[in-house]
Amino acid sequence: QSGRDLLHCRCYDEHYLVSLILNTNTMAIFFTRDNFVLAFPLLAVCSTYAFFKFIPLQYGLPVLGVIALTLKARNKIIESRSTDEHIDKTIVQDLVSDEDALIAKQNEKAQKKLRKSEQKLRERLKAERRNTANKKKEAADEDDDGEIITAFAKGARGKKGR
């Protein structure tokens, strides 16, 4: 029982210690983003020096190579996923463009039919106008002929009667 209690106390103490370290209220004075940005070059130089000082080159360089290859592979995987989405978008766009092309052809045919019907209607109206104009001329000519004849007939009678 004492072992369990000791383990429980130790876990409690470690948890308390971790919560003290990560507490943002007490450590916000020292660990800020501005301080980190300013200290990053010094941290990078010191970390690189410590790495090459304490780890032999025969082990350190392969580890760095593996890390570099891992990062490169991860970037390629991310890039291939993004191109897969792009390919999927282009396939969908191609399919939609085919449908759009069919719809455009149908619209174009409908517009051609509409233009033809409007043109036929205009031609009919022009023909009707011509016909009505010709009929008026003919009617006017006939009326003129009739008036001339009636005037001639009346004129001869009218002169004799006076």
Side-chain angles (χ1 to χ4, degrees), residues 37 45 96 98 123 148:
V37 168
V45 168
V96 171
D98 291 341
E123 288 176 4
I148 292 172

Side-chain angles (χ1 to χ4, degrees), residues 137-151:
K137 284 183 183 179
E138 288 176 6
D141 289 342
E142 287 178 10
D143 289 340
D144 289 341
D145 291 342
E147 289 176 11
I148 292 172
I149 292 173
T150 53

Side-chain angles (χ1 to χ4, degrees), residues 2-87:
S2 64
R4 283 186 182 173
D5 291 337
L6 182 62
L7 181 63
H8 182 65
C9 289
R10 184 179 291 163
C11 288
Y12 176 73
D13 289 339
E14 288 174 2
H15 176 69
Y16 181 71
L17 181 65
V18 169
S19 67
L20 278 178
I21 292 172
L22 296 177
N23 190 355
T24 56
N25 293 334
T26 60
M27 301 304 279
I29 296 170
F30 303 110
F31 297 124
T32 62
R33 183 172 291 170
D34 295 334
N35 289 345
F36 179 72
V37 168
L38 292 172
F40 187 74
L42 180 63
L43 291 173
V45 168
C46 292
S47 299
T48 305
Y49 174 75
F51 182 80
F52 288 112
K53 177 75 175 170
F54 296 114
I55 298 176
L57 285 179
Q58 64 185 2
Y59 300 118
L61 289 179
V63 168
L64 290 177
V66 168
I67 291 172
L69 288 175
T70 305
L71 290 174
K72 193 170 188 178
R74 181 175 175 256
N75 288 337
K76 279 191 175 184
I77 290 171
I78 291 171
E79 184 180 326
S80 68
R81 287 182 184 166
S82 67
T83 57
D84 289 342
E85 291 174 6
H86 178 67
I87 289 171

